[in-house]
Amino acid sequence: MTDANGDHLAKLMAWLSPAYPVGAFSYSHGLEWAVEAGDITDAATLEAWLRTLIWHGSAWSDAVLFCHIWRTVADDSTEALAELAELSVALQPTAERALEATAQGRAFVEMTRSTWPCVALDHLKDGTVTYPVAVATASAGHAIPLAAALTAYLNALVANWISAGVRLIPLGQTDGQRITTALVPEIAAMAEKAKDATLSEIGTATFRADIASMKHETQYTRLFRS
């Protein structure tokens, strides 16, 4: 099965909607400090920052792991799933990013087990499961094609970052949608590349974004948890 049907799309739209209670709205992925520091000041600088995260930062690492998690669940390899889940936690570069990833992952697993259960989710160990691991596991467990699941996940991830930027800079909603329009093709291209990537290709070069996350821990005035 390679094409997503209506049932698959309905599940993805529900799971990755802002209404799904994972608390995504409360995380800025370090953007809050980057705005205060003057790294991000307008639509152009926000778009450039997010494009870098897509191709060279956390979005890329999430995408590669997502693909490997999905295939592992599809192959019913419980031991490999546990190892990849541990790797995903270990890759978080700061305490706040670890919180962001695992709190959303835990919330997603708890809600989806209660409302959209599948056997694959029961193979995840309680506790530290990151958001991409949770979504990939549920997607494979519900036989949602990888391409559709990965694209939906990445678009939702970037949409949340854009929403944070719109609130923080602040920007108008039109500027936010223009950034979305510009980045959708980037997300699609990156997702296509990630599908063929090996685990050894995971890595980031977004040092300023990592520093932003570290600095956010002691930022005096904060709206977001990261």
Side-chain angles (χ1 to χ4, degrees):
M1 179 174 50
T2 58
D3 296 327
N5 60 34
D7 180 64
H8 298 148
L9 295 176
K11 288 174 181 176
L12 290 173
M13 291 172 70
W15 296 345
L16 297 167
S17 161
Y20 209 63
V22 299
F25 66 90
S26 63
Y27 301 98
S28 81
H29 208 71
L31 288 172
E32 187 164 20
W33 183 84
V35 170
E36 181 173 297
D39 290 29
I40 300 174
T41 57
D42 55 17
T45 49
L46 176 61
E47 181 182 326
W49 184 279
L50 297 185
R51 182 176 285 104
T52 304
L53 284 178
I54 290 169
W55 283 105
H56 306 291
S58 51
W60 165 254
S61 294
D62 277 6
V64 176
L65 271 170
F66 193 106
C67 295
H68 284 268
I69 289 286
W70 189 96
R71 294 188 182 107
T72 295
V73 174
D75 291 340
D76 199 25
S77 179
T78 305
E79 183 177 343
L81 175 61
E83 292 176 356
L84 288 171
E86 290 177 2
L87 173 63
S88 185
V89 174
L91 288 172
Q92 305 307 313
T94 69
E96 285 198 352
R97 289 272 288 278
L99 170 67
E100 179 179 329
T102 58
Q104 290 183 85
R106 181 172 60 253
F108 184 92
V109 169
E110 290 175 354
M111 179 54 61
T112 309
R113 276 176 176 164
S114 298
T115 56
W116 307 83
C118 65
V119 174
L121 285 173
D122 294 332
H123 292 160
L124 291 174
K125 296 179 181 179
D126 291 335
T128 52
V129 175
T130 66
Y131 192 34
V133 169
V135 178
T137 299
S139 297
H142 282 268
I144 299 174
L146 173 58
L150 176 60
T151 300
Y153 170 79
L154 291 173
N155 275 280
L157 182 70
V158 175
N160 191 66
W161 294 343
I162 293 171
S163 176
V166 166
R167 284 175 280 168
L168 287 165
I169 293 173
L171 296 176
Q173 295 297 331
T174 300
D175 276 335
Q177 290 306 308
R178 284 175 179 148
I179 296 171
T180 300
T181 300
L183 294 181
V184 163
E186 305 274 352
I187 294 168
M190 187 273 276
E192 189 64 29
K193 181 180 179 181
K195 284 189 291 184
D196 296 323
T198 65
L199 288 175
S200 63
E201 292 178 76
I202 292 177
T204 66
T206 50
F207 305 113
R208 188 68 173 174
D210 294 344
I211 290 170
S213 178
M214 297 173 192
K215 293 286 189 180
H216 187 268
E217 294 182 31
T218 56
Q219 192 170 339
Y220 181 72
T221 303
R222 303 193 302 176
L223 298 175
F224 293 85
R225 298 182 71 189
S226 71

